[in-house]
Amino acid sequence: GENVEQHPSTLSVQEGDSAVIKCTYSDSASNYFPWYKQELGKGPQLIIDIRSNVGEKKDQRIAVTLNKTAKHFSLHITETQPEDSAVYFCAASSTGTASKLTFGTGTRLQVTL
Amino acid sequence: ETGVTQTPRHLVMGMTNKKSLKCEQHLGHNAMYWYKQSAKKPLELMFVYSLEERVENNSVPSRFSPECPNSSHLFLHLHTLQPEDSALYLCASSQDSGLLKGEQYFGPGTRLTVT
């Protein structure tokens, strides 16, 4: 089955700096890679995703890159703000019947003033 | 709000109790999921329903029993739980076809404590 590794487990950046979180996956059949943000007391919220037919996707301050050959993908957050502080999860799946996401262990991002 | 609601938000139950968790999605999706989230572990997929048929059961103990009466509702029936079952139980839904295939939307979760 799929195995997803995520690094780092904790990340502290100053407001305005960039943050990068990296994930690797094992199953070459995986073709869908979402990123979720989870704030305290809430469920994970989908913030951006990428499919295997593209190498990069941007949405305002966040971007995701995908390297299919190396089987890794990354989340980039620029101009970080205190409200970006949360736990971020990467995931991978192959979009067959009822996509089954395999999640990384999460990165706790702390944005300090 | 993601369009997925879960009740109750918090539940404390003894090991001999029977309780049920409820999930409802208002997104018109046709697939629903139960996940378990424990401290310092990745989210674990427990059950998957697509078009109201169970398509995945990831070796979950029989003390957890899912029910999907229609495409908008999902239940998780609990009985004779163990303290290690204490966790955040998350429900999610997705549209199992089309361009948005794969995008899962989560509810806020039920924080379960087994005493």
Side-chain angles (χ1 to χ4, degrees):
Chain A
E2 176 65 276
N3 182 49
V4 176
E5 295 192 0
Q6 182 172 347
H7 299 280
S9 56
T10 60
L11 179 59
S12 183
V13 299
Q14 284 199 319
E15 184 180 7
D17 288 350
S18 295
V20 180
I21 303 170
K22 299 182 178 182
C23 288
T24 60
Y25 62 99
S26 61
D27 188 353
S28 56
S30 289
N31 57 5
Y32 175 65
F33 307 92
W35 286 88
Y36 286 85
K37 174 184 180 182
Q38 188 172 23
E39 297 174 307
L40 198 60
K42 296 184 178 181
Q45 177 191 3
L46 179 65
I47 57 171
I48 195 168
D49 58 15
I50 192 167
R51 298 179 191 269
S52 59
N53 56 346
V54 297
E56 183 175 0
K57 184 176 178 181
K58 273 188 176 180
D59 182 3
Q60 300 183 358
R61 295 187 298 107
I62 59 174
V64 57
T65 59
L66 171 65
N67 183 326
K68 287 170 53 181
T69 303
K71 295 200 190 75
H72 65 71
F73 56 113
S74 301
L75 177 71
H76 304 253
I77 306 174
T78 58
E79 300 172 31
T80 54
Q81 300 168 4
E83 52 264 38
D84 294 329
S85 297
V87 179
Y88 291 81
F89 293 95
C90 64
S93 82
S94 56
T95 52
T97 301
S99 307
K100 305 173 189 69
L101 292 174
T102 301
F103 283 83
T105 49
T107 296
R108 182 172 298 279
L109 174 64
Q110 181 70 45
V111 180
T112 58
L113 296 172
Chain B
E1 294 299 325
T2 63
V4 181
T5 58
Q6 289 186 244
T7 54
R9 294 294 310 276
H10 301 271
L11 178 62
V12 179
M13 59 186 288
M15 290 190 286
T16 58
N17 290 159
K18 288 185 180 181
K19 296 286 184 182
S20 295
L21 310 184
K22 179 183 176 182
C23 175
E24 184 174 359
Q25 59 96 0
H26 311 273
L27 300 168
H29 289 167
N30 58 12
M32 297 187 78
Y33 311 76
W34 279 116
Y35 288 86
K36 176 182 179 182
Q37 186 174 35
S38 306
K40 298 183 181 179
K41 291 176 70 174
L43 275 78
E44 301 172 62
L45 179 64
M46 299 175 71
F47 299 104
V48 181
Y49 277 83
S50 179
L51 299 173
E52 301 151 46
E53 294 292 325
R54 189 190 305 179
V55 298
E56 184 85 11
N57 174 357
N58 277 357
S59 302
V60 178
S62 60
R63 56 186 185 268
F64 296 91
S65 175
E67 178 189 0
C68 187
N70 55 60
S71 60
S72 299
H73 294 86
L74 185 65
F75 294 89
L76 188 63
H77 304 299
L78 316 170
H79 66 94
T80 324
L81 293 192
Q82 304 298 312
E84 59 264 30
D85 297 323
S86 298
L88 182 68
Y89 288 85
L90 291 159
C91 173
S93 71
S94 70
Q95 185 56 30
D96 196 22
S97 61
L99 293 175
L100 301 181
K101 189 172 184 177
E103 294 184 15
Q104 291 187 24
Y105 294 87
F106 284 82
T110 295
R111 173 69 61 186
L112 174 67
T113 303
V114 181
T115 60

